[in-house]
Amino acid sequence: MLNDGSLPLLNYVISGAGVTLALTLVSCGIGGTLSIVVALMRGSEAWLVRSVATVYVEFFRSTSIYAQLFWAYFVLPQLGVDLTAFQAGVLAISLNTGAYGSEIVRGALKSVAHSQREACTALNLGRFTSFTRVTFPQALIAMLPSVSNLTIDVLKGTSIASLIGISEIMFQADTVRIQTGNTAIPYLSVFVLYFVMTSLVAFSFDRLERKISNGWQGVSKAG
């Protein structure tokens, strides 16, 4: 049982912040990588590749993340895929993030002027070099505000992981409420912790956007 004191209760809820951040970072890392891959697949000239990517995106955007989470945690083990609660949470959130993120990446890539691609062709640059050195860096600037919003949504959305027993912030707060009957301290601390974490995410992306934009301005002036 937890002691019904303000400091112990607050510390118990704060202990869930580390799990929330870990779940967010891992899911965004995997989901972000998946976003780029799927966006490129949707722009492929191969019909089958485009179709697979489209089905993936539409499936995860059209179904509830709750159902996806429960499928990963309760159904996959019956199919021989044993996952811990944390792994199931990462899998569901990452796949969901990848679906939404791919549309952000695809839109940003389309926003790059066609003349940039023509210049790469004129310079006889390969596809990989053109993408990594010219197209993607410019698209990155356009997508950062949306990626920032998506990251914040993922951070807040990790609260669903409490449904399968992952001890993130909401799980810890609910545990405090159940064991002590105290509701004010745990849920007020949840508000504060989410506000602090989302503010840090927004600040970090804003700084990154400014740094990249200033870098490109410097390149343009030098050119």
Side-chain angles (χ1 to χ4, degrees):
M1 291 291 292
L2 296 169
N3 296 322
D4 192 10
S6 298
L7 187 58
L9 298 186
L10 182 59
N11 288 337
Y12 191 77
V13 177
I14 291 176
S15 68
V19 179
T20 293
L21 289 174
L23 192 57
T24 301
L25 290 174
V26 176
S27 298
C28 284
I30 297 174
T33 303
L34 193 57
S35 297
I36 298 173
V37 173
V38 173
L40 293 176
M41 288 175 66
R42 295 199 72 181
S44 172
E45 296 178 357
W47 175 85
L48 181 59
V49 174
R50 290 199 312 272
S51 298
V52 170
T54 300
V55 169
Y56 160 73
V57 171
E58 294 306 320
F59 176 80
F60 281 95
R61 292 203 308 168
S62 303
T63 58
S64 170
I65 191 172
Y66 290 94
Q68 297 162 17
L69 179 67
F70 290 158
W71 181 275
Y73 189 61
F74 295 112
V75 179
L76 286 184
Q78 297 181 18
L79 302 177
V81 182
D82 293 321
L83 299 174
T84 64
F86 187 85
Q87 291 170 338
V90 166
L91 177 61
I93 297 172
S94 296
L95 290 174
N96 196 272
T97 301
Y100 283 94
S102 67
E103 291 299 281
I104 294 174
V105 176
R106 191 164 70 103
L109 291 174
K110 284 186 174 182
S111 71
V112 177
H114 187 66
S115 59
Q116 296 292 315
R117 297 182 178 86
E118 293 177 339
C120 290
T121 301
L123 292 171
N124 200 28
L125 297 179
R127 287 187 177 183
F128 181 78
T129 302
S130 299
F131 179 77
T132 57
R133 298 293 183 86
V134 180
T135 306
F136 188 75
Q138 293 183 64
L140 182 60
I141 299 174
M143 72 175 76
L144 276 179
S146 296
V147 171
S148 175
N149 290 334
L150 180 59
T151 302
I152 290 173
D153 286 341
V154 171
L155 191 154
K156 294 185 295 184
T158 57
S159 60
I160 68 165
S162 64
L163 298 175
I164 58 173
I166 297 178
S167 55
E168 46 73 61
I169 295 176
M170 284 304 302
F171 183 89
Q172 299 295 79
D174 285 338
T175 300
V176 171
R177 175 185 61 80
I178 293 170
Q179 293 194 12
T180 69
N182 190 316
T183 58
I185 292 176
Y187 292 128
L188 178 59
S189 62
V190 165
F191 274 124
V192 174
L193 286 169
Y194 274 125
F195 177 77
V196 170
M197 289 189 293
T198 55
S199 296
L200 287 174
V201 170
F203 175 77
S204 299
F205 272 97
D206 182 62
R207 290 293 299 273
L208 179 61
E209 184 180 358
R210 291 183 182 181
K211 184 175 182 179
I212 294 176
S213 297
N214 290 337
W216 270 101
Q217 288 176 4
V219 171
S220 299
K221 290 179 180 178

